[in-house]
Amino acid sequence: MELLNSETYGYGFVPTPYLPEGNDEYWIRNLQAAAVLGEMPWRNVRADEIAILEQNGCRAGNWNDVLVVDPFDPAMVRNSAFYGLVRLGRTENKLLKHHDFCVPVGIRNSTIISCDIGDYVSIQDCSLVSHYIIGKNCICSRIDELVTTNHTKFGNGIVKEGEDEDVRIWIDVMNEAGGRSILPFVDMIPADAFLWAAWRDDTALVEKLREITQETQALLCCGGNNKYSPEAGVQSRQRGFYGTIGRRTLIKSCRIIKDTMVGESAYIKGVNKLKNLTILSCEDEATQIGEGVELVNGIVGYGCHVFYGAKAVRFVLGRHCSLKYGARLIHSVLGDNSTVSCCEILNNLVFPVHEQHHNNSFLIASLIEGTCNMAAAATVGSNHNSRANDGEIRAGRGFWPGLSVTLKHSSRFASFCLIAKGDFPYELNIPLPFSLVINNVHANRLEVMPAYFWLYNLFALERNSWKTKNRDRRFRKEQYIETEYMAPDTAGEIIKALELIQEWMSSAGMNEGTADFESDYEREGKDEYHEYDYSTKDEDETIPAFGLERHTRPVVILKPRKAMAAYKDMLFYYGMKTTICYLENQADFSFEHSISQINEDLNSSENKVKDWINMGGQIVPAFFVDALRKDIREGNIKNWKSIHARYDEMAAAYEKEKACHAWKTLSFICGKSDSAHPLEKPEAFKAAMEKTVKISDWIRKQVYVSRAKDFHNPFRIITYRNKAEMDNVVGTAKDSSFVKQAEKNHRRFTEKVESLMGKF
């Protein structure tokens, strides 16, 4: 406890060695104030105004340190105390209203220490407001403590001058033992966290990223888009930054807000504790934080909603994330457009569009690559099968663990795996995308049905892609996110899965299939796609599989020949749809020239690379990431802004790279000849387009069929008096909004194909 002189207390709490050389002690504060408030014509309070203020129950350590701007109505300042340099913006007899909450402008029943307050601000019943710069038209009402310390980092993983390394805030993503620790910063997106955490064998890269974050990460200064830059001379290592609250922000009925920077148009109500945070918010993407929330050491992204007792410690929230109903987020990075309720997430890196809504759901020490949905009572990452806490789980896009699923460290899943309800007692390695994974307790075996979604639940698969794109609420899209379930990453997984299934079928003495199982492009004279509907002859066929579970019990593949046919059709549809979209977007369309250009690009050394990487929801060729890592290691890229610019370059090249990959996939699936691509001739490509339209129509029908299953279940009607009541309560399959959307999607695609055919 230290006793200070009230007449001099203010900015003097900053130790002299940490002040910028050659500048006065208010240099950083003035720079921040200019960014938040603009140029303000401050003046001293006049003697007659002081008299009114004192008559209103106000006092100051030194009235000479209280500055105001005209017009200033001292009658609007009552029962308040001022210490240190306090500067007040325009204050008149006006009201500020936010929805139904309306308060007068001015300061009442509050203690203000060393603050700059903008025009027409209302501060009422605040026990302590210390070292803050508050923007225009803000409301601060009934706050117990609103304080900034001289060593604040606002959630960034940096250390200040004179501090020890052990005060640095690390986030232990993907692994509880800390072997993949990263440092949070204001502009962090999941791709940054993945780049930093995934290549731990590249020690030079890891060290460079730490240096970049410490030395060049500038601090947000005003809650808008204005930031300090190294060129301006303000480095994040310096002490003495003030907390800032952006314009039009409302903060009311809160307990402790400490070392927190708040953006514009934010709404904060009834929180228990906010400490060492940056809360990003702007008029177009306003952030809201509500009752019972406790957030410590983190970054809250633009447009986030955090309500109803949620807790988060050492975290980064992407744009438009929702954290509510007692959810707990610890040592984790959560990607854009994600919703987490009533559950616990520890030591995770989660890519954009993650849904986890239910109580008793746990996600521990995992990498989840986006567009995921976790069901109630799912426990993903139980580490009780090991004596150590260093296990991990990796799951590709579209990961879907079902009700009461328990998965053990260490496990890995390909994209769009659906895990059926059950306790999976052993570690899993499922390289087959779009699969249903079943723990058959009665037969004591693991069962995997490849291509399950394509065969039996296209409603869920198609709707997931549509929903991911349609519900992207980001006003400013910092990174391109792939929303299609068939993309270069999943196509590559399918190709590898085909090789595995073919190998297992050969070991089991089973041929790949008869004419019934041939892909449709090998058939002639069919009026409708899939006349045989993948046939039903192998409904009960199984083959042994190996390397999918860490145990000696049997592991079997269900319906392998049907899966082979489905996988091939998925690849064909992906290749044709992607190529059609690419050709349709060409300004001066010429089929021969466009195909020639694709072939030329394919012959380049870079495009021969098969591997694609999910970088935080953005699918990029592996050689792009290798080049980025090399440039960071060698010092050619010196800050995160330049790294993000490289992501933008990857996104700009994605359409062409994806088209090349799709064309190569068509060559693989259609049977490339030694001399030419099988679809290189216009006639062959036209025929392939006609087949693609048939597949699209089949998808439209299957969306309805898979949805209709819910309405044909005889047990659905038992809670209703009759079918008419049921229809009025839940509707019919044809009433489904997405069934109608699937019909629109098919019509649009058909029109696109017809338009392209007209250009041939």
Side-chain angles (χ1 to χ4, degrees):
M1 191 70 68
E2 184 178 1
L3 184 64
L4 301 176
N5 188 332
S6 65
E7 294 185 359
T8 60
Y9 180 65
Y11 199 82
F13 76 113
V14 179
T16 301
Y18 304 120
L19 295 174
E21 184 177 352
N23 293 277
D24 62 40
E25 62 178 357
Y26 299 111
W27 185 71
I28 294 178
R29 173 178 176 177
N30 287 339
L31 192 61
Q32 286 187 277
V36 178
L37 308 178
E39 295 299 324
M40 301 286 283
W42 310 109
R43 67 167 176 84
N44 289 103
V45 183
R46 298 192 306 265
D48 60 310
E49 293 169 332
I50 293 174
I52 296 174
L53 289 168
E54 291 181 342
Q55 185 178 353
N56 291 342
C58 296
R59 62 186 184 277
N62 185 344
W63 283 112
N64 290 328
D65 289 334
V66 179
L67 307 180
V68 298
V69 174
D70 288 322
F72 172 67
D73 184 353
M76 306 307 296
V77 182
R78 297 177 176 274
N79 301 320
S80 298
F82 303 93
Y83 300 98
L85 177 63
V86 176
R87 301 187 286 200
L88 307 179
R90 294 168 179 83
T91 306
E92 296 184 84
N93 188 10
K94 296 180 181 293
L95 297 174
L96 277 175
K97 184 178 180 182
H98 183 277
H99 298 304
D100 295 329
F101 189 69
C102 187
V103 293
V105 167
I107 301 175
R108 289 164 299 284
N109 308 319
S110 302
T111 299
I112 312 295
I113 298 177
S114 189
C115 291
D116 290 345
I117 299 169
D119 296 337
Y120 307 111
V121 169
S122 175
I123 299 177
Q124 61 178 17
D125 301 312
C126 293
S127 300
L128 178 61
V129 182
S130 175
H131 301 94
Y132 260 89
I133 299 172
I134 302 175
K136 180 180 180 180
N137 296 104
C138 286
I139 299 175
C140 297
S141 175
R142 293 196 290 184
I143 304 172
D144 289 348
E145 181 180 337
L146 181 61
V147 173
T148 302
T149 62
N150 76 321
H151 55 273
T152 180
K153 304 162 187 66
F154 302 115
N156 290 270
I158 57 177
V159 294
K160 293 292 187 176
E161 296 282 357
E163 289 185 326
D164 295 331
E165 182 66 27
D166 57 6
V167 304
R168 193 187 296 273
I169 302 299
W170 292 90
I171 300 180
D172 297 333
V173 295
M174 297 171 59
N175 193 300
E176 294 175 282
R180 298 188 186 273
S181 298
I182 62 173
L183 297 173
F185 55 90
V186 165
D187 298 317
M188 175 173 275
I189 58 178
D192 303 328
F194 182 66
L195 179 68
W196 198 335
W199 280 271
R200 282 301 156 127
D201 54 324
D202 192 343
T203 55
L205 171 71
V206 173
E207 179 58 25
K208 278 290 185 180
L209 293 177
R210 189 198 68 80
E211 292 175 6
I212 286 173
T213 303
Q214 174 62 51
E215 300 300 333
T216 68
Q217 175 58 34
L219 290 178
L220 191 74
C221 67
C222 65
N225 291 322
N226 297 322
K227 299 180 182 179
Y228 288 126
S229 65
E231 293 77 14
V234 180
Q235 296 292 332
S236 56
R237 289 178 62 86
Q238 295 170 341
R239 296 193 181 208
F241 284 86
Y242 273 51
T244 62
I245 299 174
R247 297 174 296 175
R248 301 180 301 276
T249 286
L250 168 63
I251 305 177
K252 68 174 183 178
S253 304
C254 297
R255 295 186 61 194
I256 298 172
I257 301 177
K258 185 175 183 180
D259 292 343
T260 296
M261 195 169 284
V262 184
E264 297 178 356
S265 303
Y267 178 76
I268 301 175
K269 171 188 175 184
V271 301
N272 289 341
K273 186 174 186 178
L274 304 178
K275 182 180 178 183
N276 191 31
L277 305 171
T278 291
I279 300 172
L280 300 172
S281 180
C282 63
E283 187 173 4
D284 296 312
E285 296 177 285
T287 293
Q288 300 182 20
I289 302 178
E291 295 83 351
V293 168
E294 297 175 12
L295 306 177
V296 179
N297 298 334
I299 311 294
V300 180
Y302 288 96
C304 286
H305 289 181
V306 185
F307 286 116
Y308 311 128
K311 318 293 181 186
V313 180
R314 300 199 182 208
F315 67 96
V316 175
L317 285 181
R319 289 174 179 256
H320 292 279
C321 290
S322 294
L323 195 67
K324 52 191 177 181
Y325 303 127
R328 299 181 297 281
L329 181 74
I330 303 170
H331 277 284
S332 296
V333 175
L334 187 64
D336 298 348
N337 296 321
S338 296
T339 301
V340 173
S341 307
C342 311
C343 59
E344 187 169 18
I345 295 182
L346 308 175
N347 304 97
N348 297 286
L349 172 53
V350 182
F351 290 176
V353 197
H354 176 80
E355 302 288 329
Q356 189 170 345
H357 301 164
H358 306 285
N359 212 350
N360 301 321
S361 290
F362 299 91
L363 187 62
I364 305 168
S366 302
L367 169 65
I368 307 296
E369 296 188 0
T371 60
C372 163
N373 197 319
M374 280 188 58
T379 300
V380 176
S382 170
N383 63 0
H384 296 294
N385 59 322
S386 171
R387 292 176 294 277
N389 64 342
D390 54 2
E392 301 175 358
I393 281 181
R394 289 200 177 195
R397 291 193 296 136
F399 182 55
W400 198 334
L403 294 169
S404 303
V405 161
T406 301
L407 300 174
K408 301 290 189 292
H409 288 139
S410 294
S411 295
R412 184 176 63 176
F413 300 90
S415 301
F416 294 93
C417 280
L418 173 62
I419 318 299
K421 178 180 179 180
D423 182 3
F424 290 79
Y426 313 112
E427 296 92 322
L428 301 174
N429 178 27
I430 309 298
L432 311 171
F434 305 98
S435 293
L436 174 64
V437 182
I438 307 165
N439 179 30
N440 190 329
V441 177
H442 300 291
N444 189 28
R445 70 183 189 184
L446 179 72
E447 299 175 348
V448 180
M449 186 188 301
Y452 162 81
F453 275 108
W454 182 266
L455 292 167
Y456 300 110
N457 200 350
L458 265 170
F459 178 89
L461 195 58
E462 286 279 319
R463 185 176 180 273
N464 189 65
S465 291
W466 170 82
K467 180 178 69 174
T468 301
K469 184 177 182 179
N470 192 58
R471 297 184 182 179
D472 188 349
R473 301 182 299 274
R474 298 175 298 164
F475 183 80
R476 180 181 176 186
K477 295 176 172 56
E478 289 285 347
Q479 187 180 24
Y480 176 82
I481 297 174
E482 178 59 78
T483 61
E484 296 290 336
Y485 59 85
M486 282 306 302
D489 60 332
T490 50
E493 289 179 330
I494 287 176
I495 291 172
K496 294 176 182 177
L498 283 170
E499 295 173 355
L500 281 173
I501 296 174
Q502 196 165 26
E503 179 182 335
W504 293 329
M505 290 175 68
S506 177
S507 298
M510 182 186 294
N511 295 325
E512 181 177 333
T514 65
D516 289 348
F517 301 101
E518 292 173 358
S519 293
D520 197 59
Y521 58 79
E522 296 174 348
R523 308 173 194 164
E524 296 180 358
K526 300 292 191 299
D527 294 328
E528 184 177 355
Y529 175 68
H530 282 148
E531 179 176 319
Y532 293 95
D533 194 21
Y534 296 108
S535 183
T536 58
K537 294 182 180 179
D538 76 334
E539 283 293 318
D540 299 323
E541 286 183 335
T542 63
I543 57 171
F546 307 97
L548 305 189
E549 184 179 60
R550 192 183 72 87
H551 200 264
T552 57
R553 69 173 182 166
V555 177
V556 299
I557 300 298
L558 305 179
K559 308 177 184 181
R561 289 191 286 188
K562 185 176 286 190
M564 291 281 284
Y567 273 157
K568 289 179 179 179
D569 287 328
M570 293 175 78
L571 288 178
F572 179 84
Y573 184 64
Y574 155 72
M576 283 302 301
K577 185 178 179 182
T578 302
T579 305
I580 289 168
C581 291
Y582 177 77
L583 295 177
E584 197 246 351
N585 290 332
Q586 301 303 303
D588 298 321
F589 173 76
S590 166
F591 178 76
E592 291 78 5
H593 177 268
S594 298
I595 296 303
S596 175
Q597 185 62 54
I598 293 176
N599 286 330
E600 184 179 328
D601 291 335
L602 270 174
N603 289 330
S604 69
S605 59
E606 289 181 341
N607 280 296
K608 291 180 181 178
V609 179
K610 296 180 180 179
D611 294 331
W612 291 69
I613 297 175
N614 185 345
M615 291 290 292
Q618 178 179 353
I619 312 302
V620 300
F623 66 84
F624 278 172
V625 181
D626 293 339
L628 172 61
R629 291 165 49 210
K630 181 174 181 291
D631 284 341
I632 295 172
R633 282 196 307 268
E634 295 178 355
N636 299 324
I637 292 180
K638 302 181 183 298
N639 53 60
W640 284 107
K641 182 178 180 180
S642 298
I643 294 174
H644 289 186
R646 189 66 70 86
Y647 298 153
D648 293 338
E649 292 175 12
M650 296 176 188
Y654 182 56
E655 182 182 11
K656 186 186 78 170
E657 298 292 340
K658 185 178 180 181
C660 289
H661 182 268
W663 190 243
K664 185 163 59 174
T665 301
L666 287 171
S667 176
F668 166 81
I669 203 65
C670 295
K672 180 179 179 181
S673 65
D674 294 335
S675 58
H677 193 286
L679 302 181
E680 198 167 81
K681 300 296 183 182
E683 295 76 15
F685 193 80
K686 281 186 177 182
M689 284 198 291
E690 291 173 355
K691 176 193 168 176
T692 308
V693 171
K694 291 181 181 179
I695 297 179
S696 176
D697 186 51
W698 178 81
I699 290 173
R700 174 190 66 81
K701 293 175 182 177
Q702 290 303 116
V703 166
Y704 171 77
V705 168
S706 53
R707 178 58 173 153
K709 292 176 185 177
D710 296 329
F711 296 88
H712 296 162
N713 180 353
F715 279 76
R716 289 290 295 270
I717 199 173
I718 62 176
T719 61
Y720 304 94
R721 289 182 295 107
N722 51 52
K723 183 68 163 54
E725 182 188 0
M726 176 180 170
D727 291 345
N728 280 296
V729 173
V730 299
T732 66
K734 291 183 178 180
D735 295 330
S736 168
S737 60
F738 186 70
V739 168
K740 296 177 180 178
Q741 183 63 43
E743 293 175 353
K744 291 180 182 178
N745 293 343
H746 171 63
R747 285 198 302 270
R748 289 171 185 165
F749 182 71
T750 301
E751 291 168 359
K752 182 181 295 188
V753 171
E754 290 174 350
S755 174
L756 184 61
M757 281 188 173
K759 297 178 182 180
F760 271 71

